[in-house]
Amino acid sequence: MTAIPQERRVVTAIPGPKSVELQARRLATVAAGVGSTLPVFTARAGGGIIEDVDGNRLIDFGSGIAVTSVGASAEAVVRRASAQLADFTHTCFMVTPYEGYVEVCEQLAELTPGDHAKKSALFNSGAEAVENAVKIARAYTKRTAVVVFDHGYHGRTNLTMALTAKNMPYKQGFGPFAPEVYRVPVAYGYRWPTGAENAGAEASAQAIDEITKQIGADNVAAIIIEPVLGEGGFIEPAKGFLPAIAQFAKDNGIVFVADEIQSGFCRTGQWFACEDEGIVPDLITTAKGIAGGLPLSAVTGRAEIMDAAHAGGLGGTYGGNPVACAGALGSIETMRELDLNGKAKRIEEVMKGRLAEMQAKLPNGDLIGDIRGRGAMIAIELVKSGTKDPNPEAAAQLAKACHAEGVLVLTCGTYGNVLRFLPPLVIGEDLLGEGLDVLEQAFGRI
């Protein structure tokens, strides 16, 4: 699958001297607003390993934020994209179209939930997909209001910053933001005041009440939610919440949009996370894992909704780039052939089992307030001992300790206190276990 040895190797400090040198060059020419989790410069990556310019090999628990689900150099992605590069790199689908774009739309129609007639439009990034979903919903409903949820993340453009809940670092100093965006509660079970068992029913009732009274259901074009909230902390809305919101949308002629940019394409052990409770969204936005690391995104949905925008109203110069489309077809091929839904479920089984053991046996295991997520989208919420008070310091210390030992992990969460795990779905179980060993040892050093 990959020429890179699938083993962790730390031969220098992390970052090493060549990365430090490159970081100095970066600081001289790259805008300071572009951050990096770990200033280790990649030379090669594949399977579950990132190899840096100093020869260190890191276990990858990030997948480029859920992008390289099939690995960072998957054979089918490389083969198909390379063949397309040799034929042509670009014509602009809006000028002279090509088959690859159509093939990707056919695959999306087959894979996304529901047996209704579906159409798609392709773009470059997740934020573009979400922004276009709003455009399409407004064109279809002739309404303007958009409803989103606490802890949600939808992008960095002006409109998607407005849709995103968290201020720092995404929104601070970048306003004013797009109007007609309204935020309502989500069923965050771990932090719901009356307990997780009540969160689904109570949060959905509260959200619907706020929409009805403060906005007016007849004014709402779209309700947008991540079926598993990503940047907000890998929050699985409590059972019953999503079906109630989806039914409210259906009853009131509101377009229900599932933002599956992080949770889609086998990441949660299903093709799409909304399938867990049988949700069939009107529109679904995808990106990240769709194309094996190449920039591609999509809006897929009911044909009559997707066709609401006038001809020429959707598009973009690079949207559905032919090389990215080839990569997507290779990525989907790999997901099918290797049963990456099954592999994601196995990753969940291993990770949740080990994390529960750490929570139970470590002297400071009570720092782990919650273990959650599905498939290979797993997180631990870190709290101060004996409380539910967020502990972002522990999250930062654990991440730093893991990085020093050659395991790349990411943090997230509205409170900055969540350690998230997004390994490539093709990671070997030995690497997965070794990465968890390093995490367990890191707990002993904080």
Side-chain angles (χ1 to χ4, degrees):
M1 184 183 299
T2 177
I4 302 170
Q6 295 296 291
E7 55 188 31
R8 180 172 64 106
R9 183 176 72 174
V10 179
V11 294
T12 72
I14 305 283
K18 291 181 181 178
S19 281
V20 170
E21 181 182 335
L22 283 165
Q23 178 70 356
R25 289 169 54 190
R26 172 224 174 108
L27 291 173
T29 56
V30 178
V34 182
S36 293
T37 297
L38 180 60
V40 160
F41 283 75
T42 303
R44 299 189 299 165
I49 290 290
I50 294 172
E51 185 174 290
D52 73 8
V53 291
D54 290 288
N56 299 299
R57 296 193 194 115
L58 283 70
I59 297 175
D60 182 10
F61 276 7
S63 299
I65 316 182
V67 169
T68 54
S69 296
V70 296
S73 50
E75 185 276 332
V77 174
V78 173
R79 168 172 41 84
R80 286 178 178 256
S82 297
Q84 180 58 55
L85 274 168
D87 289 339
F88 61 94
T89 61
H90 176 76
T91 67
C92 184
F93 191 77
M94 298 182 300
V95 177
T96 57
Y98 36 86
E99 186 178 4
Y101 189 118
V102 177
E103 286 186 280
V104 171
C105 293
E106 289 170 340
Q107 291 291 322
L108 288 166
E110 179 182 338
L111 292 172
T112 51
D115 55 8
H116 50 276
K118 299 173 201 162
K119 293 189 177 183
S120 295
L122 304 184
F123 306 98
N124 303 290
S125 68
E128 276 188 83
V130 173
E131 190 142 337
N132 278 278
V134 172
K135 287 167 60 176
I136 292 162
R138 284 173 168 166
Y140 179 71
T141 62
K142 306 297 189 284
R143 304 172 182 177
T144 57
V146 180
V147 172
V148 288
F149 293 84
D150 288 340
H151 309 287
Y153 176 85
H154 301 287
R156 294 173 182 260
T157 61
N158 185 263
L159 174 57
T160 57
M161 280 191 295
L163 302 176
T164 291
K166 189 175 179 179
N167 179 53
M168 272 299 284
Y170 305 112
K171 302 166 75 168
Q172 177 66 31
F174 297 142
F177 302 113
E180 287 299 299
V181 173
Y182 301 88
R183 197 173 318 284
V184 297
V186 74
Y188 188 167
Y190 178 65
R191 295 195 173 275
W192 195 254
T194 61
E197 66 278 8
N198 301 314
E202 291 181 2
S204 59
Q206 190 174 330
I208 288 167
D209 184 62
E210 289 186 18
I211 295 167
T212 303
K213 290 178 179 174
Q214 297 181 26
I215 311 163
D218 291 345
N219 296 317
V220 179
I223 295 175
I224 307 175
I225 190 167
E226 304 158 274
V228 177
L229 283 73
E231 176 58 28
F234 282 26
I235 300 163
E236 291 184 88
K239 297 299 182 190
F241 180 82
L242 288 173
I245 298 297
Q247 187 62 49
F248 172 77
K250 182 178 180 180
D251 292 344
N252 289 277
I254 300 167
V255 176
F256 183 82
V257 183
D259 179 344
E260 293 262 14
I261 286 158
Q262 188 164 170
S263 59
F265 289 100
C266 306
R267 177 52 58 181
T268 63
Q270 295 165 296
W271 280 100
F272 299 97
C274 60
E275 297 177 64
D276 185 63
E277 290 187 90
I279 304 296
V280 178
D282 298 310
L283 300 179
I284 185 166
T285 60
T286 53
K288 290 193 182 288
I290 191 174
L294 296 172
L296 187 70
S297 67
V299 183
T300 302
R302 298 184 185 277
E304 66 274 16
I305 299 177
M306 291 297 299
D307 282 343
H310 54 273
L314 303 177
T317 302
Y318 294 108
N321 170 269
V323 181
C325 286
L329 295 170
S331 184
I332 292 167
E333 174 188 328
T334 304
M335 290 171 185
R336 284 193 165 110
E337 287 188 358
L338 299 182
D339 182 23
L340 293 193
N341 280 316
K343 289 190 182 296
K345 289 174 182 173
R346 175 58 183 161
I347 288 169
E348 176 183 355
E349 182 182 359
V350 171
M351 294 202 85
K352 281 190 169 178
R354 285 291 306 277
L355 293 168
E357 287 176 12
M358 292 181 212
Q359 186 183 38
K361 76 179 185 183
L362 289 172
N364 57 355
D366 63 346
L367 290 175
I368 302 175
D370 195 27
I371 301 166
R372 57 176 178 254
R374 295 203 302 273
M377 191 174 180
I378 303 296
I380 52 176
E381 179 159 0
L382 297 159
V383 294
K384 294 176 181 174
S385 184
T387 75
K388 285 191 177 183
D389 294 343
N391 195 338
E393 297 82 10
Q397 288 170 350
L398 282 168
K400 184 177 180 180
C402 287
H403 295 165
E405 295 299 322
V407 178
L408 178 63
V409 297
L410 306 175
T411 60
C412 68
T414 299
Y415 313 107
N417 67 321
V418 175
L419 210 58
R420 57 174 160 173
F421 308 104
L422 290 162
L425 305 181
V426 296
I427 193 171
E429 208 162 304
D430 54 341
L431 279 183
L432 188 65
E434 187 177 353
L436 290 165
D437 290 343
V438 170
L439 174 66
E440 184 168 347
Q441 293 158 13
F443 266 100
R445 294 197 295 274
I446 69 165

